Amino acid sequence: MTSTAGFARSVYDVVRRIPSGMVASYGLVALALDRPRDARQVGRALFVCREADVPCHRVVNRNGVLTGAWAFETPTEQREKLLSEGVAFDLQGRVDMALHCVRADELTDP
DNA sequence: GACATGACGGCAC
DNA sequence: AGTGCCGCCATGT
């Protein structure tokens, strides 16, 4: 019970801390939870996420690719939201991680 | 209970 | 810099 459901809750808690205009990789979220090997489970947790207060569109993979765009209502929803928050994309349609990747200590509660 | 899959990541080539 | 392969772990069949 607390294994997966609790994990998912922790994931949502971390994702909620991602500032507008910034993004985080799945691995970074997992790292913030002290589980560097559970990046895939982060994705799965977001897949089952139904809470609107969780900015799951700010979570991308380590390459800045919107691998989970298909999980949104429309394939372009994630990109549109990020664009409206000021996130810049490169010519290959990837997020500029050097500029928009949030730092790990921004996700962990000090 | 074993096998295949996946919103991933790191490392080798 | 891009591509490929393997490792991790929970789920579904």
Side-chain angles (χ1 to χ4, degrees):
Chain A
M1 192 326 212
T2 49
S3 0
T4 54
F7 175 77
R9 252 188 1 193
S10 301
V11 169
Y12 303 152
D13 197 49
V14 169
V15 173
R16 269 188 278 256
R17 290 178 193 164
I18 305 175
S20 178
M22 299 294 279
V23 299
S25 69
Y26 300 94
L28 193 60
V29 174
L31 190 64
L33 298 174
D34 290 310
R35 284 180 169 175
R37 301 304 195 275
D38 286 350
R40 304 185 95 147
Q41 274 51 266
V42 171
R44 187 162 287 279
L46 292 178
F47 174 70
V48 297
C49 180
R50 305 277 188 317
E51 306 180 33
D53 60 319
V54 178
C56 46
H57 60 277
R58 294 178 191 157
V59 185
V60 299
N61 76 345
R62 74 172 180 88
N63 294 311
V65 180
L66 281 54
T67 52
W70 56 268
F72 290 78
E73 299 184 17
T74 67
T76 58
E77 181 180 331
Q78 185 174 17
R79 177 171 169 130
E80 290 296 322
K81 283 186 176 180
L82 291 175
L83 282 173
S84 70
E85 292 179 355
V87 175
F89 286 77
D90 59 16
L91 295 178
Q92 297 180 87
R94 302 182 308 183
V95 176
D96 190 334
M97 297 302 278
L99 295 177
H100 301 289
C101 186
V102 71
R103 300 186 327 182
D105 53 290
E106 291 288 326
L107 300 177
T108 55
D109 191 15

